[in-house]
Amino acid sequence: MPFIPSFCDIKLGESMFRDARSYFNSLTRNAEAFSQIAARLKDTIFLTDDEVYSAMLSFINKEYSVRTATELSTQQKVDTARHLHFNYNASNQQLRSMLRMDLAILEELFP
């Protein structure tokens, strides 16, 4: 019978999540799939901050080849905010905290 700690770095795996809840949520929730289902049902979906943050990281990595929002230009932040707002129904508060944008700019973009 294999001994898991002999070939898995358990400490490394545990360090990738804040707690057991965030690990479980990452296994069971797929933000993109939920938003597509909600769009088909003409329903609005409100994602948690963790889910919007995950969607943002995925988007900026794919679109701009960067790993953090601090590496984005002002225009890239605006484009990312539009993407998250229209595709994931991200609130202005979520966008403000994740993209470090002024709330007045976001309220002007999304009244």
Side-chain angles (χ1 to χ4, degrees):
M1 178 166 273
F3 183 60
I4 293 173
S6 69
F7 60 88
C8 290
D9 189 350
I10 294 174
K11 290 290 183 200
L12 175 65
E14 289 175 343
S15 71
M16 293 182 186
F17 303 95
R18 284 191 313 274
D19 53 23
R21 186 185 66 159
S22 66
Y23 171 72
F24 180 75
N25 284 338
S26 71
L27 289 177
T28 60
R29 298 273 313 215
N30 182 345
E32 291 178 6
F34 277 96
S35 65
Q36 290 172 356
I37 292 168
R40 286 188 192 138
L41 296 174
K42 296 186 180 2
D43 192 9
T44 56
I45 183 168
F46 294 95
L47 302 177
T48 65
D49 290 350
D50 289 340
E51 292 165 337
V52 173
Y53 185 73
S54 174
M56 180 197 69
L57 290 180
S58 174
F59 176 76
I60 65 174
N61 189 18
K62 185 173 22 170
E63 289 295 313
Y64 308 116
S65 300
V66 297
R67 297 180 68 87
T68 63
T70 57
E71 299 174 57
L72 297 174
S73 69
T74 303
Q75 183 58 47
Q76 289 172 332
K77 285 183 180 183
V78 169
D79 293 339
T80 301
R82 282 190 179 118
H83 174 78
L84 294 172
H85 177 79
F86 292 118
N87 294 323
Y88 298 99
N89 294 326
S91 70
N92 288 349
Q93 289 294 338
Q94 288 174 318
L95 297 172
R96 181 194 59 79
S97 67
M98 290 177 204
L99 294 170
R100 306 285 189 247
M101 293 179 70
D102 191 280
L103 189 57
I105 294 171
L106 291 167
E107 288 175 350
E108 197 174 299
L109 287 169
F110 317 114

